[in-house]
Amino acid sequence: MDPLVITVAAVGAELTPAQTPHLPVTPAQLGETAALCRAEGAAMIHVHCRTDDGGNTSDVARFRVAMEAIRARSDLIVQFTTGGAIGMTVAERTGPLQLRPEMATLTCGTVNFGDEVFENSFPIMRGILAELQRYGVRPELEIFDAGHLTNAKRLASEGLLAFPQHVDFVLGVPGGLDASVRNLVHLVDALPGGCTWSVAAVGRDQLPLATVAVAMGGHVRVGLEDNIYYAKGRLARNDELVARVARIAAELGRPLATPAQARHLLGLPAVPQETPGAAS
Ligand code: KMH
Ligand code: ZN
């Protein structure tokens, strides 16, 4: 099996600092989280940005400082969100791509999201893909529902996407596909050949689905974006969630990918492209 790529989704868009004291809100806190998670075995960080008071922001300057802070403290693959927060425009969601992170998410369809709707119509997906291509950013296809994989294949049939790709199954969102082993196996079976995949399950399903993915040869996303608890009633830190998956992988005899190995595995350049306007 390939070495295991652990991604940390450290902050997300939905949590408030009142829900957990461990949410990395500032760029400095993201940098600190990156260093701690790298030390525990993470290879990639999925990035949303917040204002100092915890609100969501798509401000390019804020993303720049966050990326610099992460890179100053770690060699993690930097993956930006293009999902952003519910209610953001497509321009807001894609604005930070101009900083040329190594990867960014592309959610492959609209999905109910709690009582809200996370909109990803075909025009929206085509628009995000165009921006990803414009800045040479590799997508990670986010699959919240079984039909999303069909949508991705339709984008490929339109010539907008070439398989194989790296795919992340985000399971257990209220409104999306349940986080069951049966659903995960169904999705993996439906992948075009040569794809790599990870699973990001929500809440208490994060740990069992991560364990199954390790055993199946997939990859894993953990972090506060998807789950704030280490155990019932005990809030988690991001690095603890990474460390637990690393221990499980060790028990199962699965080596961890370093960021360099993960870049090779995912077909990314060994050295990230330069950030426009970066101080040299
Ligand atoms: N915050 C959600 C609406 C992504 O990062 O690409 C979308 C999300 C997915 O978190
Ligand atoms: Zn996200």
Side-chain angles (χ1 to χ4, degrees):
M1 277 184 203
D2 289 327
L4 175 69
V5 178
I6 303 177
T7 298
V8 60
V11 56
E14 283 69 40
L15 292 166
T16 65
Q19 288 173 273
T20 168
H22 305 305
L23 202 63
V25 164
T26 66
Q29 288 168 341
L30 276 174
E32 172 77 6
T33 298
L36 293 170
C37 291
R38 170 69 173 98
E40 298 296 352
M44 175 152 44
I45 183 165
H46 169 72
V47 179
H48 290 248
C49 280
R50 303 297 191 96
T51 55
D52 283 348
D53 62 5
N56 279 291
T57 179
S58 62
D59 182 51
V60 176
R62 187 75 165 180
F63 270 81
R64 179 191 293 279
V65 179
M67 186 153 76
E68 286 170 356
I70 292 165
R71 289 197 170 148
R73 302 288 307 272
S74 80
D75 58 351
L76 293 179
I77 298 170
V78 176
Q79 180 200 81
F80 282 0
T81 177
T82 68
I86 300 283
M88 281 184 182
T89 64
V90 177
E92 288 171 323
R93 287 166 58 176
T94 56
L97 296 180
Q98 65 191 264
L99 301 174
R100 300 179 186 269
E102 292 172 271
M103 297 187 82
T105 52
L106 172 71
T107 297
C108 293
T110 295
V111 63
N112 285 309
F113 201 85
D115 287 351
E116 301 180 292
V117 177
F118 179 26
E119 271 189 72
N120 295 284
S121 64
F122 275 97
I124 289 175
M125 290 188 281
R126 291 187 195 106
I128 293 172
L129 266 173
E131 292 302 287
L132 289 166
Q133 272 152 18
R134 177 176 174 192
Y135 294 112
V137 180
R138 272 284 303 280
E140 174 180 275
L141 307 184
E142 304 286 312
I143 305 296
F144 287 65
D145 217 335
H148 288 190
L149 210 42
T150 313
N151 294 345
K153 290 173 185 175
R154 177 172 165 196
L155 291 168
S157 74
E158 293 177 6
L160 300 176
L161 195 63
F163 279 108
Q165 291 286 343
H166 183 58
V167 177
D168 183 42
F169 300 120
V170 185
L171 301 182
V173 168
L177 194 63
D178 285 339
S180 71
V181 174
R182 195 182 293 270
N183 284 338
L184 178 64
V185 170
H186 168 72
L187 290 168
V188 172
D189 283 348
L191 280 176
C195 286
T196 50
W197 62 271
S198 60
V199 67
V202 170
R204 68 169 69 92
D205 293 316
Q206 186 173 80
L207 180 59
L209 270 284
T211 305
V212 168
V214 174
M216 286 174 71
H219 304 282
V220 169
R221 175 174 117 174
V222 289
L224 301 189
E225 174 164 348
D226 306 321
N227 165 41
I228 62 172
Y229 290 105
Y230 191 87
K232 192 171 164 56
R234 211 285 251 162
L235 292 168
R237 293 192 319 266
N238 281 299
D239 55 289
E240 290 179 308
L241 296 173
V242 171
R244 180 162 59 180
V245 173
R247 285 197 305 276
I248 289 166
E251 289 289 341
L252 294 175
R254 182 107 186 259
L256 301 184
T258 63
Q261 288 171 319
R263 287 184 176 93
H264 180 70
L265 198 69
L266 301 177
L268 294 167
V271 179
Q273 37 175 358
E274 204 152 298
T275 307
S280 52

